[in-house]
Amino acid sequence: MTHTAFSAIQDYRAAVASLVNRYAPLSAELVQLTSQASKDDTPPYSHDTPVVYNTAWDGITEEDDIKLIVVGDNPGKEEQLVSRRAYLVGQSGRVAEGFFRRNPALGVDFRRNALITNKTPIHTAKTKHLRYLSASGSPDIAEAIQESQLEMARLTARLHQRLFAEGGTRLYMVGYAELKGKGIFIPYRDELVRCYQPCPETWEHVLAFQHFSMNRFLVDLKQYMEENGQADTAAALDALGRRHRDEIWIRLASMQ
């Protein structure tokens, strides 16, 4: 990648590391809350890292070629383990790896060419548990869940805009259920679109998809291709991703 693109990634990971450190004083309360939130629907697991920085970013060098930014929801059980501390390394990540491996024409190695991030670095076993944390925790917890989304939206939009200017990098928003209605990620949704208003050409390369979990991404893409008679996976991804993006976000007439 260019030196400018690599500098953008360095700035991004430093800013997210600072954000994670900002919430370190909340760790004890977050561990207690995530334990309570998961007790009825999640097998017991080790609660290691309440707020997760993606250590995989530290392995990115200027010699790498980042073609894609992938935005998941928040770190889950495997992502927060002290032995992992990386994003999309559980079953969902393995589904993503397999998809790109089976589609070499897309030119993306999921672990080498994709920078993987989240809408918040705050861990829960299931994304829906963030609601419990927000409702049952202290005001500082609720504020952190909202504030972290706003900051991650700003940082990710800026990173995408800088990388796009250098090499046409795309952004895949993977998992959008909580971006609709009264979803927990409404602050992220609204801040993200605000950040792209000065850059309509880059917004066109923001695509939204079902999550990789439970094969929803694969099922949705297969159904779209069958219904539309498409055999070209790349073209189908573009069309489906834009359709879902426009279902989620207001069509930005002022950006056209």
Side-chain angles (χ1 to χ4, degrees), residues 225-247:
M225 293 178 74
E226 290 175 349
E227 289 177 351
N228 291 275
Q230 284 194 316
D232 186 322
T233 301
L237 279 171
D238 282 353
L240 180 62
R242 289 189 171 96
R243 171 193 284 185
H244 287 324
R245 179 197 66 201
D246 292 342
E247 290 169 352

Side-chain angles (χ1 to χ4, degrees), residues 30-31 34-36 38 44-50 80-81 123 125:
L30 283 168
V31 167
T34 55
S35 298
Q36 293 169 350
S38 63
Y45 69 97
S46 176
H47 295 258
D48 293 352
T49 316
Q80 61 85 45
L81 292 173
H123 155 72

Side-chain angles (χ1 to χ4, degrees), residues 56-98:
W57 296 335
D58 297 335
I60 298 175
T61 71
E62 198 165 337
E63 285 67 48
D64 291 317
D65 183 12
I66 299 300
K67 301 177 180 179
L68 186 65
I69 297 171
V70 176
V71 182
D73 286 334
N74 68 314
K77 292 186 297 181
E78 292 192 54
E79 285 77 9
Q80 61 85 45
L81 292 173
V82 71
S83 60
R84 307 299 294 274
R85 287 184 296 163
Y87 297 167
L88 276 177
V89 293
Q91 181 58 32
S92 296
R94 291 187 282 275
V95 170
E97 285 185 58

Side-chain angles (χ1 to χ4, degrees), residues 23 52 76 156 176 198:
Y23 300 129
V52 185
T156 301
Y176 59 76

Side-chain angles (χ1 to χ4, degrees), residues 125-246:
K126 297 183 179 182
T127 298
K128 67 180 183 179
H129 293 167
L130 285 169
R131 286 195 183 85
Y132 178 89
L133 271 61
S134 185
S136 303
S138 66
D140 287 344
I141 297 294
E143 181 179 352
I145 290 172
Q146 173 156 320
E147 180 186 62
S148 64
Q149 292 181 53
L150 297 176
E151 190 63 18
M152 290 296 281
R154 294 173 193 131
L155 292 172
T156 301
R158 176 166 172 75
L159 174 66
H160 182 213
Q161 289 157 18
R162 294 175 70 182
L163 293 185
F164 180 81
E166 292 298 308
T169 303
R170 294 190 168 192
L171 186 148
Y172 281 13
M173 187 68 55
V174 180
Y176 59 76
E178 294 291 342
L179 293 170
K180 295 181 176 181
K182 297 181 179 180
I184 192 70
F185 292 135
I186 297 305
Y188 185 98
R189 180 198 69 185
D190 293 347
E191 184 65 12
L192 189 77
V193 77
R194 186 192 69 79
C195 291
Y196 277 91
Q197 285 177 350
C199 305
E201 68 284 355
T202 313
W203 177 253
E204 280 304 303
H205 296 272
V206 174
L207 306 177
F209 299 97
Q210 293 267 21
H211 205 281
F212 292 117
S213 65
M214 300 177 67
N215 287 330
R216 286 176 289 185
F217 173 92
L218 301 178
V219 170
D220 190 38
L221 178 61
K222 180 181 179 181
Q223 181 178 345
Y224 179 85
M225 293 178 74
E226 290 175 349
E227 289 177 351
N228 291 275
Q230 284 194 316
D232 186 322
T233 301
L237 279 171
D238 282 353
L240 180 62
R242 289 189 171 96
R243 171 193 284 185
H244 287 324
R245 179 197 66 201
D246 292 342

